[in-house]
Amino acid sequence: MHHLGLTRSSLKPDHLLQTPNTFIRTPLPGAEGVEFVVHVAPQLGARFTQMTAEFAAGGTLGPAPAQRFIYLLEGALQLTVNGKDHTLAPGGFAFLPQGPPHTVRALASSRAAVIEKPYEPLPSEANQSLSICVGAEASIASTPLMGDDALQVRSLMPDGPAYDFAVNTMTYQPGAALSMVEIHVMEHGLLMLEGGGIYKLGDSWYPVQAGDFIWMAPYCPQWFGALGKQPAKYLIYKDWRRHPLGSWG
Ligand code: UGY
Ligand code: MN
């Protein structure tokens, strides 16, 4: 079915809104039984990739070219790393530093958000050991953003000087909103998980809903307000804890 060229998707120099009716699937090297929607990549100016991996039962990911973060959207995945098996249920996640090999196999038809980022080492040798981290979002305590109980943040990545990106979920009660328009050096990859609302990106305002993906370039003005009768929730990536001048910092 076609829609006479209509879509909510929009690409501007400082942001991308990509809605499911514009998703194109692609295979990637090493993965079997998996199709990928590559939402954002260095080809667009981003310094990371974010994809949705759609697994058939038994499908496997290929080796990671960089640090890898996985958040399971639906289904069940088995992660094997350092000789240990972990089963991820929806809301389960894993951070895998660059280097130690791992395997990811779908125990059922599954969908996962996959974020990959080349590691930016600190100039000093200190504090550079990164730990594998496997967890479940439901067991992470949430904190209100800037004291607003209607906007709760869960940090899924370990924090510390060695880690160069963060992945959080943000849950907005109906009517909750960011308390300010943010403009910052970090870029974002954002997957809407539940509900919807209005996203301001640059000088544009977009209705957004579960299933949509957004990339925000560094300094893209951004604001979100949740609409509707159910909470709105998104998964959000940002680069973190690195000097903008890179190895000079
Ligand atoms: O962490 C963040 O910068 C977050 N508050 N940004 C956003 O939700 N657009
Ligand atoms: Mn932000």
Side-chain angles (χ1 to χ4, degrees):
M1 175 159 125
H2 66 84
H3 300 274
L4 298 172
L6 290 177
T7 177
R8 288 183 295 109
S9 287
S10 175
L11 176 60
K12 302 252 169 95
D14 64 353
H15 64 266
L16 166 69
L17 167 63
Q18 192 186 34
T19 62
N21 63 349
T22 54
F23 291 176
I24 296 289
R25 275 111 188 135
T26 178
L28 288 178
E32 293 199 3
V34 189
E35 291 194 308
F36 297 87
V37 180
V38 182
H39 298 295
V40 73
Q43 284 78 351
L44 201 57
R47 292 186 297 138
F48 68 108
T49 59
Q50 183 162 346
M51 319 175 190
T52 298
E54 299 176 338
F55 297 78
T60 54
L61 287 185
Q67 304 176 95
R68 178 178 270 169
F69 181 91
I70 301 172
Y71 177 91
L72 188 62
L73 301 166
E74 62 183 62
L77 293 181
Q78 186 174 57
L79 165 70
T80 307
V81 60
N82 284 348
K84 269 179 82 176
D85 289 336
H86 306 267
T87 302
L88 301 188
F93 62 87
F95 166 65
L96 301 146
Q98 216 159 296
H102 63 270
T103 59
V104 175
R105 199 171 74 84
L107 302 173
S109 161
S110 302
R111 288 190 318 118
V114 178
I115 294 166
E116 292 172 343
K117 178 183 189 295
Y119 184 56
E120 286 176 67
L122 291 165
S124 73
E125 287 303 309
N127 295 322
Q128 304 220 0
S129 71
L130 299 174
S131 302
I132 292 163
C133 169
V134 182
E137 188 201 349
S139 59
I140 306 263
S142 69
T143 52
L145 187 71
M146 295 184 172
D148 181 355
D149 286 335
L151 204 182
Q152 296 286 330
V153 182
R154 288 187 170 82
S155 303
L156 308 186
M157 278 285 293
D159 196 15
Y163 297 90
D164 66 356
F165 71 94
V167 182
N168 302 329
T169 59
M170 296 181 60
T171 306
Y172 296 71
Q173 291 309 307
L178 287 176
S179 62
M180 56 185 281
V181 176
E182 297 180 7
I183 302 181
H184 52 63
V185 67
M186 298 85 76
E187 61 181 332
H188 283 310
L190 183 160
L191 186 64
M192 288 296 301
L193 299 176
E194 294 170 19
I198 299 290
Y199 232 106
K200 173 185 166 69
L201 299 167
D203 292 332
S204 304
W205 304 77
Y206 300 99
V208 297
Q209 63 185 19
D212 293 347
F213 173 82
I214 295 171
W215 169 66
M216 295 169 236
Y219 295 104
C220 176
Q222 57 200 257
W223 176 89
F224 178 70
L227 287 178
K229 296 189 174 175
Q230 69 173 108
K233 177 175 167 187
Y234 52 73
L235 181 76
I236 184 165
Y237 158 96
K238 66 179 163 189
D239 49 302
W240 194 232
R241 285 185 177 274
R242 286 299 179 269
H243 196 288
L245 295 179
S247 57
W248 296 95

